[in-house]
Amino acid sequence: METILSCQFRFLAPSQEPKPITAIRSRPSKTPARCLPLLAKSKRAAQDSVNGEDEYGIPANQVKTLAKFKSRHNHIRVLQVSRRADHPLAGSRLLLLDRPGNIHSISFLLHPFTSSYFDVFATLPPLLPPGPIALLGFGAGSAARVLLHIYPDIEIHGWEIDPSVIAVAREFFGLEKLEKQHRVNLSVHVGDALDETAGGERFAGIFVDLFQKGSLLPELQDPETWSNLRRSLKKGGRVMANCGGKCVEAEDSRRDGETVMQETVKSMRSAFGAAAEDVFVLMLEYGESEGCVAMTGPWPKDTEKWKLALPMPLRGYVDRWKPFTG
């Protein structure tokens, strides 16, 4: 699906100085961060039926469906996983979209982190210049929630193409409360992110998480799309993108996740620089599969400073980036 956020545009006036980004320290987690299994249900169907399990290998009696309907853009399901489940997703609330049922948002009641690419997104702000950030593909707000937990003063503009997803986010994922808590610095827009963010050096950072029918948008395999996003960055700004991979399943079997991921990152590199040092990738293990997050810009000169600007549970991601050589 294409996940993109909504509300009215609210940008800083030229005379306003952006607030400095300050991070809130969080307690170190008792166990190392794990990557949650984000495989689509249909990839596990045979195994699950043998094991008597339902969603993502979780016993069916420990998963409750809170909402299930079809919108103009998506097949939408909201699941609640029991806290008693012996599973990394125990206690979580999940937003599943498209027919295969890929997870697009994760929320835990008792802690802000997700052990997924949303946490990787939250490592970027210390590398950015002052200014607002854009979330292209808001979903139910998982990335915004983590970002605002760590950097409560950061200005976020998000886009979601499906108003039904935003309605679900407000009803089941606490988005309404988050919007009230951050009236000044969180704006949610319903519309096409790639159209509405084009033009002008507006953003210090852009996060891209745009899927449709279980696959990255075809526009993301076009270097011109990334060139347009680059033109929307302030000087020194960066883009970080969820580039999918084997961990996602498309409705169209011809849209192989690994192939689409490679084509997407190559298009990013074409737009941001031919050298491998211009685009970095971080691979996340999701069960037996992998997902890819990509980041533009030169490698930071002081990685220790970068780590120290992050909560303890997120520092381990810094050492896992590698130049893209595909």
PDB file of all heavy atoms in Angstrom, residues 224-252:
ATOM      1  N   GLU A 224      14.173   9.555 -10.826  1.00  0.00           N
ATOM      2  CA  GLU A 224      13.608  10.898 -10.819  1.00  0.00           C
ATOM      3  C   GLU A 224      12.789  11.145  -9.553  1.00  0.00           C
ATOM      4  O   GLU A 224      12.757  12.274  -9.044  1.00  0.00           O
ATOM      5  CB  GLU A 224      12.733  11.104 -12.065  1.00  0.00           C
ATOM      6  CG  GLU A 224      12.187  12.518 -12.215  1.00  0.00           C
ATOM      7  CD  GLU A 224      13.276  13.586 -12.300  1.00  0.00           C
ATOM      8  OE1 GLU A 224      14.387  13.278 -12.769  1.00  0.00           O
ATOM      9  OE2 GLU A 224      13.004  14.735 -11.887  1.00  0.00           O
ATOM     10  N   THR A 225      12.131  10.111  -9.040  1.00  0.00           N
ATOM     11  CA  THR A 225      11.383  10.259  -7.783  1.00  0.00           C
ATOM     12  C   THR A 225      12.319  10.675  -6.657  1.00  0.00           C
ATOM     13  O   THR A 225      12.017  11.588  -5.875  1.00  0.00           O
ATOM     14  CB  THR A 225      10.688   8.935  -7.415  1.00  0.00           C
ATOM     15  OG1 THR A 225       9.751   8.602  -8.433  1.00  0.00           O
ATOM     16  CG2 THR A 225       9.972   9.047  -6.068  1.00  0.00           C
ATOM     17  N   TRP A 226      13.469  10.031  -6.579  1.00  0.00           N
ATOM     18  CA  TRP A 226      14.433  10.342  -5.519  1.00  0.00           C
ATOM     19  C   TRP A 226      15.086  11.696  -5.756  1.00  0.00           C
ATOM     20  O   TRP A 226      15.408  12.406  -4.794  1.00  0.00           O
ATOM     21  CB  TRP A 226      15.477   9.230  -5.417  1.00  0.00           C
ATOM     22  CG  TRP A 226      14.866   7.915  -5.037  1.00  0.00           C
ATOM     23  CD1 TRP A 226      14.587   6.864  -5.863  1.00  0.00           C
ATOM     24  CD2 TRP A 226      14.409   7.531  -3.734  1.00  0.00           C
ATOM     25  NE1 TRP A 226      14.002   5.846  -5.166  1.00  0.00           N
ATOM     26  CE2 TRP A 226      13.883   6.225  -3.848  1.00  0.00           C
ATOM     27  CE3 TRP A 226      14.399   8.157  -2.491  1.00  0.00           C
ATOM     28  CZ2 TRP A 226      13.350   5.532  -2.757  1.00  0.00           C
ATOM     29  CZ3 TRP A 226      13.877   7.467  -1.398  1.00  0.00           C
ATOM     30  CH2 TRP A 226      13.359   6.182  -1.540  1.00  0.00           C
ATOM     31  N   SER A 227      15.258  12.069  -7.013  1.00  0.00           N
ATOM     32  CA  SER A 227      15.789  13.403  -7.310  1.00  0.00           C
ATOM     33  C   SER A 227      14.826  14.485  -6.830  1.00  0.00           C
ATOM     34  O   SER A 227      15.245  15.517  -6.290  1.00  0.00           O
ATOM     35  CB  SER A 227      16.037  13.555  -8.814  1.00  0.00           C
ATOM     36  OG  SER A 227      17.046  12.678  -9.265  1.00  0.00           O
ATOM     37  N   ASN A 228      13.530  14.253  -7.010  1.00  0.00           N
ATOM     38  CA  ASN A 228      12.535  15.206  -6.515  1.00  0.00           C
ATOM     39  C   ASN A 228      12.580  15.314  -4.998  1.00  0.00           C
ATOM     40  O   ASN A 228      12.474  16.413  -4.429  1.00  0.00           O
ATOM     41  CB  ASN A 228      11.135  14.795  -6.974  1.00  0.00           C
ATOM     42  CG  ASN A 228      10.925  14.972  -8.460  1.00  0.00           C
ATOM     43  OD1 ASN A 228      11.597  15.779  -9.099  1.00  0.00           O
ATOM     44  ND2 ASN A 228       9.988  14.215  -9.019  1.00  0.00           N
ATOM     45  N   LEU A 229      12.724  14.172  -4.329  1.00  0.00           N
ATOM     46  CA  LEU A 229      12.828  14.195  -2.872  1.00  0.00           C
ATOM     47  C   LEU A 229      14.102  14.908  -2.426  1.00  0.00           C
ATOM     48  O   LEU A 229      14.099  15.652  -1.439  1.00  0.00           O
ATOM     49  CB  LEU A 229      12.791  12.766  -2.317  1.00  0.00           C
ATOM     50  CG  LEU A 229      11.454  12.042  -2.438  1.00  0.00           C
ATOM     51  CD1 LEU A 229      11.585  10.597  -1.979  1.00  0.00           C
ATOM     52  CD2 LEU A 229      10.375  12.755  -1.630  1.00  0.00           C
ATOM     53  N   ARG A 230      15.162  14.710  -3.167  1.00  0.00           N
ATOM     54  CA  ARG A 230      16.417  15.384  -2.823  1.00  0.00           C
ATOM     55  C   ARG A 230      16.256  16.899  -2.893  1.00  0.00           C
ATOM     56  O   ARG A 230      16.788  17.631  -2.053  1.00  0.00           O
ATOM     57  CB  ARG A 230      17.533  14.928  -3.768  1.00  0.00           C
ATOM     58  CG  ARG A 230      18.896  15.504  -3.424  1.00  0.00           C
ATOM     59  CD  ARG A 230      19.981  14.950  -4.324  1.00  0.00           C
ATOM     60  NE  ARG A 230      21.296  15.407  -3.887  1.00  0.00           N
ATOM     61  CZ  ARG A 230      22.442  15.018  -4.441  1.00  0.00           C
ATOM     62  NH1 ARG A 230      22.437  14.161  -5.454  1.00  0.00           N
ATOM     63  NH2 ARG A 230      23.588  15.486  -3.983  1.00  0.00           N
ATOM     64  N   ARG A 231      15.484  17.360  -3.874  1.00  0.00           N
ATOM     65  CA  ARG A 231      15.267  18.799  -4.003  1.00  0.00           C
ATOM     66  C   ARG A 231      14.404  19.355  -2.867  1.00  0.00           C
ATOM     67  O   ARG A 231      14.355  20.575  -2.664  1.00  0.00           O
ATOM     68  CB  ARG A 231      14.620  19.100  -5.369  1.00  0.00           C
ATOM     69  CG  ARG A 231      15.602  18.962  -6.535  1.00  0.00           C
ATOM     70  CD  ARG A 231      15.001  19.485  -7.821  1.00  0.00           C
ATOM     71  NE  ARG A 231      14.037  18.567  -8.400  1.00  0.00           N
ATOM     72  CZ  ARG A 231      14.354  17.608  -9.276  1.00  0.00           C
ATOM     73  NH1 ARG A 231      15.620  17.445  -9.654  1.00  0.00           N
ATOM     74  NH2 ARG A 231      13.417  16.819  -9.773  1.00  0.00           N
ATOM     75  N   SER A 232      13.723  18.474  -2.137  1.00  0.00           N
ATOM     76  CA  SER A 232      12.897  18.913  -1.008  1.00  0.00           C
ATOM     77  C   SER A 232      13.678  18.966   0.295  1.00  0.00           C
ATOM     78  O   SER A 232      13.123  19.314   1.334  1.00  0.00           O
ATOM     79  CB  SER A 232      11.701  17.966  -0.839  1.00  0.00           C
ATOM     80  OG  SER A 232      10.853  18.025  -1.964  1.00  0.00           O
ATOM     81  N   LEU A 233      14.968  18.619   0.247  1.00  0.00           N
ATOM     82  CA  LEU A 233      15.802  18.609   1.449  1.00  0.00           C
ATOM     83  C   LEU A 233      16.527  19.937   1.643  1.00  0.00           C
ATOM     84  O   LEU A 233      16.950  20.585   0.673  1.00  0.00           O
ATOM     85  CB  LEU A 233      16.858  17.507   1.356  1.00  0.00           C
ATOM     86  CG  LEU A 233      16.398  16.059   1.492  1.00  0.00           C
ATOM     87  CD1 LEU A 233      17.562  15.122   1.190  1.00  0.00           C
ATOM     88  CD2 LEU A 233      15.840  15.781   2.886  1.00  0.00           C
ATOM     89  N   LYS A 234      16.685  20.302   2.902  1.00  0.00           N
ATOM     90  CA  LYS A 234      17.581  21.397   3.238  1.00  0.00           C
ATOM     91  C   LYS A 234      19.023  20.952   2.999  1.00  0.00           C
ATOM     92  O   LYS A 234      19.307  19.757   2.859  1.00  0.00           O
ATOM     93  CB  LYS A 234      17.408  21.773   4.713  1.00  0.00           C
ATOM     94  CG  LYS A 234      16.096  22.433   5.068  1.00  0.00           C
ATOM     95  CD  LYS A 234      16.005  22.633   6.575  1.00  0.00           C
ATOM     96  CE  LYS A 234      14.776  23.441   6.950  1.00  0.00           C
ATOM     97  NZ  LYS A 234      14.937  24.872   6.646  1.00  0.00           N
ATOM     98  N   LYS A 235      19.944  21.915   2.995  1.00  0.00           N
ATOM     99  CA  LYS A 235      21.357  21.581   2.864  1.00  0.00           C
ATOM    100  C   LYS A 235      21.778  20.703   4.035  1.00  0.00           C
ATOM    101  O   LYS A 235      21.501  21.014   5.187  1.00  0.00           O
ATOM    102  CB  LYS A 235      22.198  22.857   2.839  1.00  0.00           C
ATOM    103  CG  LYS A 235      23.683  22.586   2.641  1.00  0.00           C
ATOM    104  CD  LYS A 235      24.469  23.889   2.590  1.00  0.00           C
ATOM    105  CE  LYS A 235      25.961  23.604   2.387  1.00  0.00           C
ATOM    106  NZ  LYS A 235      26.749  24.865   2.327  1.00  0.00           N
ATOM    107  N   GLY A 236      22.417  19.577   3.722  1.00  0.00           N
ATOM    108  CA  GLY A 236      22.840  18.646   4.758  1.00  0.00           C
ATOM    109  C   GLY A 236      21.764  17.661   5.170  1.00  0.00           C
ATOM    110  O   GLY A 236      21.990  16.816   6.047  1.00  0.00           O
ATOM    111  N   GLY A 237      20.582  17.746   4.545  1.00  0.00           N
ATOM    112  CA  GLY A 237      19.496  16.838   4.885  1.00  0.00           C
ATOM    113  C   GLY A 237      19.724  15.440   4.325  1.00  0.00           C
ATOM    114  O   GLY A 237      20.551  15.225   3.443  1.00  0.00           O
ATOM    115  N   ARG A 238      18.972  14.501   4.851  1.00  0.00           N
ATOM    116  CA  ARG A 238      19.109  13.104   4.441  1.00  0.00           C
ATOM    117  C   ARG A 238      17.742  12.466   4.255  1.00  0.00           C
ATOM    118  O   ARG A 238      16.739  12.928   4.801  1.00  0.00           O
ATOM    119  CB  ARG A 238      19.878  12.291   5.502  1.00  0.00           C
ATOM    120  CG  ARG A 238      21.327  12.699   5.706  1.00  0.00           C
ATOM    121  CD  ARG A 238      21.916  11.940   6.881  1.00  0.00           C
ATOM    122  NE  ARG A 238      23.278  12.337   7.184  1.00  0.00           N
ATOM    123  CZ  ARG A 238      24.359  11.650   6.868  1.00  0.00           C
ATOM    124  NH1 ARG A 238      24.242  10.488   6.230  1.00  0.00           N
ATOM    125  NH2 ARG A 238      25.564  12.084   7.196  1.00  0.00           N
ATOM    126  N   VAL A 239      17.750  11.357   3.499  1.00  0.00           N
ATOM    127  CA  VAL A 239      16.578  10.514   3.337  1.00  0.00           C
ATOM    128  C   VAL A 239      16.887   9.153   3.938  1.00  0.00           C
ATOM    129  O   VAL A 239      17.984   8.615   3.764  1.00  0.00           O
ATOM    130  CB  VAL A 239      16.202  10.346   1.845  1.00  0.00           C
ATOM    131  CG1 VAL A 239      15.103   9.297   1.679  1.00  0.00           C
ATOM    132  CG2 VAL A 239      15.762  11.670   1.244  1.00  0.00           C
ATOM    133  N   MET A 240      15.918   8.596   4.665  1.00  0.00           N
ATOM    134  CA  MET A 240      16.001   7.219   5.125  1.00  0.00           C
ATOM    135  C   MET A 240      14.740   6.511   4.669  1.00  0.00           C
ATOM    136  O   MET A 240      13.640   7.039   4.817  1.00  0.00           O
ATOM    137  CB  MET A 240      16.160   7.143   6.643  1.00  0.00           C
ATOM    138  CG  MET A 240      16.418   5.727   7.159  1.00  0.00           C
ATOM    139  SD  MET A 240      16.696   5.638   8.973  1.00  0.00           S
ATOM    140  CE  MET A 240      18.399   6.218   9.051  1.00  0.00           C
ATOM    141  N   ALA A 241      14.901   5.302   4.108  1.00  0.00           N
ATOM    142  CA  ALA A 241      13.764   4.626   3.486  1.00  0.00           C
ATOM    143  C   ALA A 241      13.690   3.168   3.889  1.00  0.00           C
ATOM    144  O   ALA A 241      14.716   2.485   3.992  1.00  0.00           O
ATOM    145  CB  ALA A 241      13.853   4.739   1.960  1.00  0.00           C
ATOM    146  N   ASN A 242      12.460   2.710   4.113  1.00  0.00           N
ATOM    147  CA  ASN A 242      12.192   1.287   4.225  1.00  0.00           C
ATOM    148  C   ASN A 242      12.106   0.742   2.807  1.00  0.00           C
ATOM    149  O   ASN A 242      11.186   1.083   2.059  1.00  0.00           O
ATOM    150  CB  ASN A 242      10.878   1.052   4.976  1.00  0.00           C
ATOM    151  CG  ASN A 242      10.445  -0.403   4.942  1.00  0.00           C
ATOM    152  OD1 ASN A 242      11.249  -1.298   4.692  1.00  0.00           O
ATOM    153  ND2 ASN A 242       9.164  -0.642   5.200  1.00  0.00           N
ATOM    154  N   CYS A 243      13.076  -0.099   2.438  1.00  0.00           N
ATOM    155  CA  CYS A 243      13.142  -0.599   1.062  1.00  0.00           C
ATOM    156  C   CYS A 243      12.652  -2.035   0.926  1.00  0.00           C
ATOM    157  O   CYS A 243      12.887  -2.680  -0.102  1.00  0.00           O
ATOM    158  CB  CYS A 243      14.567  -0.472   0.533  1.00  0.00           C
ATOM    159  SG  CYS A 243      15.131   1.240   0.391  1.00  0.00           S
ATOM    160  N   GLY A 244      11.977  -2.519   1.961  1.00  0.00           N
ATOM    161  CA  GLY A 244      11.387  -3.850   1.863  1.00  0.00           C
ATOM    162  C   GLY A 244      12.442  -4.936   1.747  1.00  0.00           C
ATOM    163  O   GLY A 244      13.468  -4.901   2.412  1.00  0.00           O
ATOM    164  N   GLY A 245      12.199  -5.912   0.881  1.00  0.00           N
ATOM    165  CA  GLY A 245      13.098  -7.049   0.727  1.00  0.00           C
ATOM    166  C   GLY A 245      12.316  -8.340   0.769  1.00  0.00           C
ATOM    167  O   GLY A 245      11.114  -8.387   0.468  1.00  0.00           O
ATOM    168  N   LYS A 246      12.978  -9.404   1.181  1.00  0.00           N
ATOM    169  CA  LYS A 246      12.331 -10.713   1.245  1.00  0.00           C
ATOM    170  C   LYS A 246      11.217 -10.767   2.284  1.00  0.00           C
ATOM    171  O   LYS A 246      10.381 -11.661   2.251  1.00  0.00           O
ATOM    172  CB  LYS A 246      13.367 -11.786   1.563  1.00  0.00           C
ATOM    173  CG  LYS A 246      14.421 -11.994   0.481  1.00  0.00           C
ATOM    174  CD  LYS A 246      15.415 -13.057   0.895  1.00  0.00           C
ATOM    175  CE  LYS A 246      16.490 -13.253  -0.168  1.00  0.00           C
ATOM    176  NZ  LYS A 246      17.499 -14.257   0.264  1.00  0.00           N
ATOM    177  N   CYS A 247      11.231  -9.816   3.204  1.00  0.00           N
ATOM    178  CA  CYS A 247      10.281  -9.861   4.317  1.00  0.00           C
ATOM    179  C   CYS A 247       8.888  -9.388   3.939  1.00  0.00           C
ATOM    180  O   CYS A 247       7.973  -9.455   4.761  1.00  0.00           O
ATOM    181  CB  CYS A 247      10.804  -9.017   5.485  1.00  0.00           C
ATOM    182  SG  CYS A 247      10.961  -7.270   5.090  1.00  0.00           S
ATOM    183  N   VAL A 248       8.695  -8.877   2.722  1.00  0.00           N
ATOM    184  CA  VAL A 248       7.364  -8.434   2.306  1.00  0.00           C
ATOM    185  C   VAL A 248       6.867  -9.301   1.157  1.00  0.00           C
ATOM    186  O   VAL A 248       7.659  -9.831   0.375  1.00  0.00           O
ATOM    187  CB  VAL A 248       7.351  -6.950   1.877  1.00  0.00           C
ATOM    188  CG1 VAL A 248       7.681  -6.047   3.049  1.00  0.00           C
ATOM    189  CG2 VAL A 248       8.316  -6.696   0.734  1.00  0.00           C
ATOM    190  N   GLU A 249       5.562  -9.434   1.072  1.00  0.00           N
ATOM    191  CA  GLU A 249       4.963 -10.243   0.014  1.00  0.00           C
ATOM    192  C   GLU A 249       3.961  -9.410  -0.764  1.00  0.00           C
ATOM    193  O   GLU A 249       3.020  -8.858  -0.188  1.00  0.00           O
ATOM    194  CB  GLU A 249       4.260 -11.469   0.598  1.00  0.00           C
ATOM    195  CG  GLU A 249       3.666 -12.360  -0.477  1.00  0.00           C
ATOM    196  CD  GLU A 249       3.018 -13.613   0.111  1.00  0.00           C
ATOM    197  OE1 GLU A 249       3.037 -13.765   1.336  1.00  0.00           O
ATOM    198  OE2 GLU A 249       2.479 -14.407  -0.682  1.00  0.00           O
ATOM    199  N   ALA A 250       4.168  -9.298  -2.057  1.00  0.00           N
ATOM    200  CA  ALA A 250       3.293  -8.504  -2.905  1.00  0.00           C
ATOM    201  C   ALA A 250       2.084  -9.309  -3.356  1.00  0.00           C
ATOM    202  O   ALA A 250       2.143 -10.540  -3.461  1.00  0.00           O
ATOM    203  CB  ALA A 250       4.064  -8.001  -4.125  1.00  0.00           C
ATOM    204  N   GLU A 251       0.994  -8.612  -3.629  1.00  0.00           N
ATOM    205  CA  GLU A 251      -0.167  -9.273  -4.220  1.00  0.00           C
ATOM    206  C   GLU A 251       0.168  -9.785  -5.617  1.00  0.00           C
ATOM    207  O   GLU A 251      -0.337 -10.824  -6.041  1.00  0.00           O
ATOM    208  CB  GLU A 251      -1.345  -8.298  -4.266  1.00  0.00           C
ATOM    209  CG  GLU A 251      -1.867  -7.908  -2.894  1.00  0.00           C
ATOM    210  CD  GLU A 251      -3.058  -6.975  -2.967  1.00  0.00           C
ATOM    211  OE1 GLU A 251      -3.609  -6.793  -4.075  1.00  0.00           O
ATOM    212  OE2 GLU A 251      -3.441  -6.425  -1.922  1.00  0.00           O
ATOM    213  N   ASP A 252       1.023  -9.060  -6.316  1.00  0.00           N
ATOM    214  CA  ASP A 252       1.476  -9.471  -7.651  1.00  0.00           C
ATOM    215  C   ASP A 252       2.769 -10.260  -7.490  1.00  0.00           C
ATOM    216  O   ASP A 252       3.798  -9.712  -7.087  1.00  0.00           O
ATOM    217  CB  ASP A 252       1.714  -8.226  -8.514  1.00  0.00           C
ATOM    218  CG  ASP A 252       2.108  -8.563  -9.940  1.00  0.00           C
ATOM    219  OD1 ASP A 252       2.434  -9.735 -10.225  1.00  0.00           O
ATOM    220  OD2 ASP A 252       2.112  -7.639 -10.782  1.00  0.00           O
TER     221      ASP A 252
END
